[in-house]
Amino acid sequence: MGGAFDKIVDFVTTHNRIVILLMLALTGVMAVGMTDLQTQSEAGDADAFNDTEIMQKGEYIQDNYDQPGNENVTVSSVYVRDENGNALSKESLIGSLRYQQSVQENDSVSTALATDEGSVSVATIVAKRAAEDPNASLATQRETLESMDEDEVRRVVSATLSEDSSALRLLPNDYEPGTPSAESTRILFRFDQTVGGEDDDSTVAAAQKALYDEAESRDSPEYFTLGQNAFADYSEHQFTNTAELILPVALALILAVLAFSYRDLVDVIIGFTGVILSLVWMFGILGWLKVSAGMTLVIGPVLIVGLSIDFGLHVFQRYREERGEDEGIRRPMARSLRAVAVALALVTVTAAIGFLSNVTAAWPSIRNLSIGITMGVVSAFVIFVTIVPALKVSADGLLERFGIDRHKRALGRGSIVGPFLASGATLARKAAPVVIVLALVAGTAGAATWTSLDRQSFQQQTDEVAEWKQDLPGPLGWDQAAYEKRSSYVDDQYREADESQRRQSQILIEGDVTAPKALERVHESQQAARDTDVVFEQGGTAPFVSPLSVMQEAAARDDEFAELYHESDTDGDGVPDRNVEAVYDALYETAPDRAGLVIERTDGEYRSLRVIVPIDSAATFDDQADAMYDVADVADESDGVSATAVGSATINDTISFQIAENILETIVLALGAVFVVLTIIYRLATGSASLGALTVVPIVLVTALVIGGMYVLDVPLTLLTALLISLVIGLGIDYSIHISDRFAHELERGRDAYDAIRTAVTGTGGALLGSTLTSVGAFATLILHPSPQFQSFGTLVVLALLTSFVVSVFVLPSMLYVWAERIHTGPVRSEATEGPPATQD
């Protein structure tokens, strides 16, 4: 490895211009690859989780029960809201008819509509009544309303919107039937999803886009939709908010810390160039390999920017240490590259192992993320051992020809930073055993909190954006999206236009379902669900769909079934307690479609029951999962009957828990692989396998301390944070390898253990300090984001960076000192590095 690096280093420092041209050409190739970058996220591999009970029960329901609603029809709602006026005024109703006329002139809308009626609104119902023609066209409806005065319209509105009117579903929950005023109404469009073929939804998508575009063109009253087009604009709005609030602060902090670390504008520019090139290479390689970027678009840049800055600081700071007062540029740059290139290579290899350990994950997005970040690490290594030092040689050579002195002092050699970093060496000499014991105790305590971490499927934003974030001046202020306010209003004021589209959970009851106790459990589960905070209610009732609700519906319509139903209910509580199987038979004869929704009959045998629970859209997934588990427990309390909560929340909870457990296995696997690699490489490079094994200990310690930090700071264990914990290995490797490699290098130069440690922590530690401050400043800005997922992301990475720095600079030196004084008995063997030892303070 050393011989190969020597040849590369000599070529880079001697033929720097050729290297720059060659690397720029390769960067152009990578830029071409970026044009083919696949940015979509991939769905998870559901088969990987089929061994879980909830997933199996979910498939069982899908296979054995009819599904509610018409799967070939999708309902789109357009809302008309006039906060300061009346959405039922003559002008507003006519405006609603104009909107319907306008959108139905669109070819996609007219083609996709599932009914001849086209659309339904309060305006159409009122106008048809006024025209005394149920088949009146939109044009006729509009002409009728235009010919009426305000009082006439109010009278027709009041007469139409009576308590038993079907039009009430088009009005908000707080509307008082019969009154001629309301804050808002909605228009319903039913689209046939089979238009253009079963697998072609482009016509419906175009129709929904037409509804959205026409709504956005109207201001007073407010027209809006909440479909995929509105959400796409909302996502873009959120991205803009993030870019304007987070990126300027992060960039300012990065530049400030780099200015402090480099204290030189040219070096800052060259270092930043390397960062940008690393990102171009990462995404270019993914483009050429046809690997979906997905999560890499979010997580990849921040990790690679931090690692790239770290690589640059090590190259530049070591060059400053190596360059003597009367030396030129090429020889000290060659020495510094030889000194750090092996360490950078080790960091690249071991970090890649840490990241690639996630290729065993069940989700393609996580597998692709591990590949993407690995490509980023490799790209950063290539960039910072080739074009970056070549640019540095060229820039310094040019400036010195103009008489500008390019000798600079390394960060760790200052009068303030130097003593701070050197304290790690002082602790090692005076109290190494104490430091080691305290660190191991802290790490053990941190690891012990793993089972106590709050586990969530994912974090949802439930609080409004803090006012101070919205009040920041200019573009920095977080602009509250209209989509959020509109969505909240609709959730509060309207039921789903199609109840089958409402958020739902299910309780599957299996066993002896023809026994009365099975229906008693159905009744008790509904009562338990009503007592939770997650069930949707309107008018004090929750629209459950269950064997009992379907029986009650059938009894209201069919006298013969009603007689059997009431005879089977001996205590009058609405739950049949005898002849249950006969009731099921009669229900299938009376209402087979509805019965098939809630009672499974296979080969004439009744095998299970289902309760469909409507969920309040404001409920978080974790609250929903907890509530449904409790409801299932109520239905699962008797012998012979078992109950399982099945829904998006419980499925997500199960999958997230399994992924979190898999991440723990991934961490152990990655640490084991890193241990083997470092042991072998240090044995070959330094003659000491134990030094490689010792270098792994800080990585384990950092991982444990990060887990403990999550517990203290109340950062939950989600899919994202579990993944980031595994990536901590890749971050922690960087710091410990640089200190251990520098320590071995200084021992090789003839220093004793203390001097070698002191040089490592003041020299290499200075680069680590600059890298830590830069990356911490960048990631800490994510805490400004209102999304709890971004906040947890930033908190976790900041924890990893700070603990990696502290452990490497203040704990690892004590371990190295004990190793050198009491364990290692022979010299560190490697080829001597050209040049004299680095000068001391």
Side-chain angles (χ1 to χ4, degrees):
M1 186 186 294
F5 279 138
D6 283 343
K7 294 179 181 178
I8 294 173
V9 166
D10 288 339
F11 189 84
V12 169
T13 54
T14 303
H15 305 287
N16 49 294
R17 294 182 181 85
I18 295 176
V19 170
I20 293 172
L21 293 175
L22 178 62
M23 294 301 293
L24 288 177
L26 289 175
T27 300
V29 174
M30 298 302 174
V32 172
M34 288 181 65
T35 61
D36 291 330
L37 188 65
Q38 301 175 25
T39 58
Q40 73 278 6
S41 297
E42 296 186 41
D45 183 2
D47 292 339
F49 302 100
N50 280 345
D51 58 343
T52 63
E53 180 185 11
I54 290 181
M55 288 293 290
Q56 292 172 350
K57 298 301 183 184
E59 291 188 357
Y60 184 88
I61 291 174
Q62 193 71 27
D63 293 340
N64 294 283
Y65 282 90
D66 295 336
Q67 300 307 313
N70 187 342
E71 296 183 0
N72 294 326
V73 175
T74 183
V75 180
S76 296
S77 299
V78 177
Y79 297 88
V80 184
R81 186 181 184 190
D82 192 344
E83 291 185 85
N84 300 317
N86 179 14
L88 298 179
S89 67
K90 172 184 175 181
E91 181 182 2
S92 183
L93 294 176
I94 292 174
S96 178
L97 293 174
R98 286 197 185 102
Y99 175 87
Q100 292 168 257
Q101 281 184 288
S102 178
V103 294
Q104 290 187 36
E105 289 172 359
N106 181 282
D107 290 340
S108 296
V109 174
S110 60
T111 301
L113 284 172
T115 63
D116 295 335
E117 186 179 10
S119 54
V120 179
S121 67
V122 172
T124 60
I125 296 174
V126 169
K128 286 179 180 180
R129 182 186 180 106
E132 299 180 352
D133 181 4
N135 298 315
S137 66
L138 285 173
T140 301
Q141 295 171 32
R142 179 178 164 188
E143 291 172 0
T144 300
L145 290 184
E146 288 176 338
S147 66
M148 300 168 65
D149 60 31
E150 290 283 356
D151 290 338
E152 289 176 318
V153 171
R154 279 196 296 269
R155 284 194 294 271
V156 175
V157 167
S158 296
T160 303
L161 302 180
S162 59
E163 289 188 0
D164 58 350
S165 172
S166 62
L168 295 183
R169 65 194 173 113
L170 304 173
L171 291 156
N173 296 335
D174 59 6
Y175 172 74
E176 186 68 29
T179 57
S181 64
E183 183 184 43
S184 65
T185 66
R186 69 175 167 188
I187 309 169
L188 299 183
F189 294 83
R190 295 184 179 274
F191 294 124
D192 185 354
Q193 292 182 320
T194 62
V195 174
E198 292 186 1
D199 298 327
D200 183 9
D201 59 357
S202 58
T203 303
V204 173
Q208 292 173 328
K209 180 68 164 58
L211 298 185
Y212 173 73
D213 289 341
E214 184 66 26
E216 288 297 299
S217 68
R218 297 169 180 260
D219 296 328
S220 182
E222 176 186 22
Y223 283 69
F224 64 88
T225 69
L226 295 175
Q228 60 184 5
N229 296 288
F231 185 78
D233 276 2
Y234 168 70
S235 298
E236 183 178 347
H237 179 89
Q238 291 294 87
F239 179 81
T240 302
N241 267 337
T242 301
E244 292 180 347
L245 174 62
I246 305 298
L247 292 184
V249 179
L251 183 59
L253 288 173
I254 289 174
L255 291 175
V257 176
L258 285 182
F260 164 74
S261 301
Y262 285 127
R263 300 177 303 283
D264 183 82
L265 179 60
V266 174
D267 286 354
V268 170
I269 293 173
I270 295 175
F272 238 89
T273 300
V275 171
I276 294 172
L277 292 179
S278 298
L279 293 175
V280 171
W281 276 54
M282 175 178 70
F283 288 120
I285 292 173
L286 291 180
W288 283 113
L289 294 178
K290 306 297 183 184
V291 174
S292 175
M295 292 174 63
T296 310
L297 287 170
V298 178
I299 298 177
V302 287
L303 290 179
I304 299 308
V305 165
L307 196 63
S308 298
I309 290 174
D310 177 78
F311 281 11
L313 282 166
H314 282 292
V315 171
F316 287 6
Q317 298 291 349
R318 194 57 177 270
Y319 164 71
R320 292 182 179 187
E321 287 187 75
E322 292 289 336
R323 189 178 184 191
E325 288 294 330
D326 299 324
E327 267 194 304
I329 297 171
R330 298 182 191 278
R331 285 174 60 82
M333 177 58 78
R335 288 199 304 272
S336 67
L337 276 182
R338 288 192 182 96
V340 301
V342 173
L344 295 181
L346 282 177
V347 168
T348 301
V349 171
T350 51
I353 292 173
F355 295 139
L356 285 176
S357 61
N358 289 285
V359 297
T360 58
W363 295 99
S365 58
I366 295 179
R367 296 198 296 267
N368 291 338
L369 173 65
S370 66
I371 295 172
I373 294 178
T374 301
M375 294 300 99
V377 175
V378 172
S379 298
F381 171 73
V382 172
I383 292 297
F384 280 90
V385 297
T386 56
I387 189 171
V388 168
L391 286 171
K392 175 66 173 170
V393 169
S394 300
D396 280 6
L398 179 63
L399 292 173
E400 291 199 343
R401 280 200 294 272
F402 285 95
I404 301 175
D405 183 18
R406 297 298 296 156
H407 287 82
K408 301 292 180 180
R409 187 172 60 180
L411 179 60
R413 302 304 183 189
S415 59
I416 298 177
V417 176
F420 167 71
L421 295 173
S423 61
T426 303
L427 282 173
R429 184 170 62 177
K430 294 182 177 180
V434 175
V435 172
I436 294 172
V437 170
L438 290 176
L440 292 177
V441 169
T444 302
T449 64
W450 172 262
T451 56
S452 300
L453 292 177
D454 180 22
R455 296 172 186 264
Q456 299 180 14
S457 55
F458 62 91
Q459 293 177 272
Q460 294 174 259
Q461 182 178 342
T462 56
D463 299 327
E464 291 187 1
V465 180
E467 289 187 7
W468 69 267
K469 295 179 183 179
Q470 300 183 53
D471 295 339
L472 290 174
L476 291 177
W478 189 275
D479 182 22
Q480 190 83 357
Y483 179 90
E484 296 171 317
K485 300 175 183 177
R486 292 168 173 174
S487 179
S488 178
Y489 176 80
V490 170
D491 288 341
D492 290 340
Q493 293 293 331
Y494 285 90
R495 293 180 60 172
E496 289 289 341
D498 183 348
E499 283 298 323
S500 66
Q501 295 181 359
R502 175 171 292 284
R503 275 177 61 183
Q504 298 172 341
S505 190
Q506 303 170 89
I507 304 296
L508 178 66
I509 299 175
E510 299 174 285
D512 187 7
V513 298
T514 58
K517 62 186 175 183
L519 288 180
E520 290 174 7
R521 293 295 172 250
V522 170
H523 177 68
E524 291 171 0
S525 66
Q526 291 183 194
Q527 292 295 110
R530 285 192 183 96
D531 294 336
T532 68
D533 295 328
V534 304
V535 170
F536 170 80
E537 290 188 359
Q538 188 173 43
T541 62
F544 292 102
V545 180
S546 71
L548 295 177
S549 71
V550 172
M551 289 175 189
Q552 291 162 3
E553 292 172 5
R557 293 193 304 266
D558 188 282
D559 293 338
E560 184 177 349
F561 177 80
E563 182 179 357
L564 175 63
Y565 172 69
H566 292 304
E567 287 178 353
S568 301
D569 176 16
T570 60
D571 55 8
D573 62 354
V575 181
D577 47 34
R578 69 177 184 178
N579 299 327
V580 172
E581 186 170 358
V583 175
Y584 291 167
D585 291 339
L587 184 64
Y588 260 94
E589 290 179 5
T590 304
D593 292 340
R594 297 291 290 170
L597 288 175
V598 292
I599 303 174
E600 178 202 354
R601 184 170 69 174
T602 303
D603 299 329
E605 180 182 355
Y606 296 105
R607 297 183 177 179
S608 66
L609 308 176
R610 175 170 70 154
V611 179
I612 302 176
V613 182
I615 300 297
D616 191 328
S617 57
T620 67
F621 274 84
D622 292 294
D623 288 343
Q624 177 184 335
D626 293 340
M628 288 303 101
Y629 287 139
D630 292 340
V631 171
D633 288 341
V634 170
D636 199 26
E637 290 179 350
S638 63
D639 294 335
V641 175
S642 63
T644 308
V646 181
S648 57
T650 54
I651 290 175
N652 283 341
D653 182 71
T654 300
I655 291 176
S656 298
F657 182 84
Q658 184 167 333
I659 288 175
E661 294 303 311
N662 289 343
I663 290 295
L664 183 59
E665 298 174 4
T666 298
I667 292 173
V668 174
L669 175 64
L671 289 173
V674 169
F675 175 85
V676 172
V677 169
L678 287 183
T679 299
I680 294 173
I681 291 180
Y682 270 86
R683 178 66 180 86
L684 296 174
T686 68
S688 176
S690 59
L691 182 59
L694 184 66
T695 304
V696 180
V697 176
I699 305 169
V700 179
L701 191 57
V702 166
T703 305
L705 290 173
V706 167
I707 293 172
M710 291 176 62
Y711 176 77
V712 171
L713 297 176
D714 200 24
V715 176
L717 185 64
T718 65
L719 171 60
L720 177 62
T721 55
L723 174 62
L724 287 172
I725 291 174
S726 70
L727 300 182
V728 164
I729 298 175
L731 295 173
I733 285 170
D734 181 11
Y735 287 67
S736 59
I737 283 180
H738 280 298
I739 293 293
S740 290
D741 183 76
R742 182 65 181 271
F743 170 71
H745 187 72
E746 297 303 327
L747 284 183
E748 172 197 333
R749 285 179 159 182
R751 296 185 184 280
D752 61 21
Y754 171 74
D755 286 341
I757 291 172
R758 192 172 191 276
T759 302
V761 296
T762 56
T764 298
L768 293 179
L769 175 63
S771 174
T772 301
L773 293 176
T774 304
S775 299
V776 164
F779 282 104
T781 59
L782 292 177
I783 300 174
L784 295 173
H785 201 287
S787 168
Q789 293 197 85
F790 276 90
Q791 293 172 8
S792 293
F793 182 13
T795 300
L796 193 54
V797 176
V798 168
L799 271 175
L801 292 167
L802 290 176
T803 52
S804 295
F805 174 77
V806 171
V807 169
S808 296
V809 175
F810 297 103
V811 178
L812 180 56
S814 293
M815 296 179 179
L816 294 174
Y817 187 80
V818 171
W819 174 84
E821 293 291 315
R822 303 182 186 181
I823 299 175
H824 181 64
T825 57
V828 176
R829 298 191 303 272
S830 64
E831 184 178 350
T833 302
E834 174 186 3
T839 58
Q840 286 291 300
D841 289 337

